[in-house]
């Protein structure tokens, strides 16, 4: 397939029904709604039930994306699921989603872990596999059950994360929602800033301030690189869909890029940080809200554990 024909044909999202508000959290750990809102912008997040797994949320988001794209499960020949919270170490959660949706056996299905940058890594991987001509229609999903990795007694991390899923269908089309390109990066030297150790407590550990500083710098670099590569000026970006970790990080990025905050999609107030699900969730919301119009250029930008980071440009 010609790379200029690889497009986003549709998007979808799914979040669990249960809402956990800051006020409820303040009854669980020593925190306040005011502290969380001021430092992060988060007001509430969704929490999956014990039996609601990453595969279930992923399948629901994927179904919505297929319907939105007008593509059937039988047409899908590639499923890439970005997640750091697979249902189990094996088989890949992508295979469970394949089975759930009825995607044919001829499809390649695998999980990909690039933490919160996972969706952009998956998008770019799918793009390259479609460009090779060996696949026609890809489901690219970001889905997370972050609540399973959170230490609910640690106020410095438990206020930040939430559960959910988002998905996109990629396939051939002409002149609409074209993926112009992506840039991916990793700095393993900073692996210790954000991790889930195997023991003694297998929960998220984070050096918040350092992650914050790196996040702003890395996202700015990723944006400048991709804009330069494609000859696009920052002012030409109609809409930015950033990873939803912290409102202050997004505000800093907007300031560094000289773009008004109104161009940034922000939904972390309702979902918190859903890791690999955050960009597809926000992208789907932006499309439904009419914030993405034909001819617009949208910028996607992420950072996460690794440290990984990346950017992508889509022309609608
Ligand atoms: N409620 C109340 N107080 C809290 C708290 C909470 N939920 N969490 C931490 N604190 C306290 C700390 O204990 C500290 O107290 P001390 O000064 O008495 O030691 C104080 O608040 C300041 O902590 P600090 O970590 O310096 O705050 P901060 O301004 O850096 O904000 C984060 C903390 C986590 C919100 C911020 O660093 C951040 O968002 N970092 C990036 C995290 C991120 O995006 N991670 C995901 C990457 S994909």
């Amino acid at each position: 397939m010609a790379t200029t024909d690889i497009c986003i044909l549709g998007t979808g999202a799914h979040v669990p029904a249960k809402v956990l508000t800051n006020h409820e959290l303040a009854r669980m750990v020593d925190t306040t709604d005011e502290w969380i809102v001021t430092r992060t912008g988060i007001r509430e997040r969704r929490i999956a039930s014990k039996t609601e797994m990453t595969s279930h949320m992923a399948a629901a988001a994927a179904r919505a994306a297929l319907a939105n794209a007008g593509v059937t499960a039988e047409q899908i020949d590639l499923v890439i699921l970005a997640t750091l919270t697979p249902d189990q170490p094996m088989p890949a959660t992508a295979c469970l989603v394949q089975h759930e949706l009825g995607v044919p056996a001829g499809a390649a299905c695998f999980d990909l872990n690039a933490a919160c940058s996972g969706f952009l890594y998956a998008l770019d991987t799918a793009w390259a596999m479609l460009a090779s001509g060996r696949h026609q229609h890809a489901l690219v999903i970001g889905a997370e059950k972050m609540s399973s990795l959170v230490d609910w007694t640690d106020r410095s991390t438990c206020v930040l994360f939430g559960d959910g899923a988002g998905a996109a269908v990629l396939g051939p089309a002409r002149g609409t929602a074209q993926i112009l390109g992506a840039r991916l990066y990793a700095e393993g030297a900073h692996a210790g800033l954000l991790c889930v150790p195997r023991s003694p407590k297998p929960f998220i550990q984070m050096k918040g301030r350092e992650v914050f500083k790196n996040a702003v710098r890395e996202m700015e670099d990723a944006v400048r690189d991709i804009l330069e590569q494609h000859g696009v000026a920052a002012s030409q970006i109609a809409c930015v869909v950033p990873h939803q970790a912290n409102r202050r990080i997004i505000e800093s990025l907007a300031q560094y890029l000289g773009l008004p905050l109104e161009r940034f999609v922000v939904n972390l107030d309702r979902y918190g940080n859903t890791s690999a699900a955050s960009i597809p969730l926000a992208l789907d919301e932006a499309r439904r809200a009419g914030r993405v119009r034909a001819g617009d250029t949208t910028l996607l930008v992420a950072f996460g554990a690794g440290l990984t980071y990346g950017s992508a440009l889509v022309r609608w």
Side-chain angles (χ1 to χ4, degrees), residues 7-27:
C7 295
I8 294 179
L9 303 177
T11 56
H14 174 82
V15 290
K18 184 180 162 39
V19 176
L20 178 66
T21 66
N22 289 351
H23 294 289
E24 288 169 288
L25 265 177
R27 293 198 286 274

Side-chain angles (χ1 to χ4, degrees), residues 38-73:
T38 321
R39 302 288 177 120
T40 71
I42 299 165
R43 293 181 185 277
E44 59 186 45
R45 68 288 292 143
R46 300 300 180 101
I47 304 293
S49 71
K50 264 207 168 71
T51 56
E52 194 173 14
M53 306 304 285
T54 294
S55 62
H56 302 135
M57 294 185 276
R63 269 200 194 95
L66 286 170
N68 183 245
V71 170
T72 64

Side-chain angles (χ1 to χ4, degrees), residues 163-175:
D163 301 335
V169 177
L170 266 55
R174 220 151 257 217

Side-chain angles (χ1 to χ4, degrees), residues 30-31 35 39-40 116 155-156 159-161 194 206 208-209 211-212 243 245-246 248-249 273 303-304:
D30 183 14
T31 191
W35 191 95
R39 302 288 177 120
T40 71
C116 301
R155 68 174 182 176
S156 69
V159 302
L160 302 175
F161 297 96
L194 181 53
M206 181 178 72
R209 286 204 173 178
V211 172
F212 191 113
H243 172 48
N246 183 318
R248 288 190 295 138
I249 291 178
N273 180 348
F303 73 95

Side-chain angles (χ1 to χ4, degrees), residues 213-259:
K213 275 187 265 167
N214 278 286
V216 176
R217 178 182 55 79
E218 291 166 348
M219 288 204 291
E220 192 193 351
D221 287 351
V223 171
R224 291 207 187 286
D225 282 355
I226 200 156
L227 292 182
E228 196 180 300
Q229 187 180 336
H230 292 275
V232 175
S235 58
Q236 290 174 274
I237 301 295
C239 177
V240 185
V241 183
H243 172 48
Q244 307 284 311
N246 183 318
R247 190 178 168 90
R248 288 190 295 138
I249 291 178
I250 295 173
E251 286 168 354
S252 300
L253 181 66
Q255 203 175 356
Y256 280 119
L257 295 175
L259 284 177

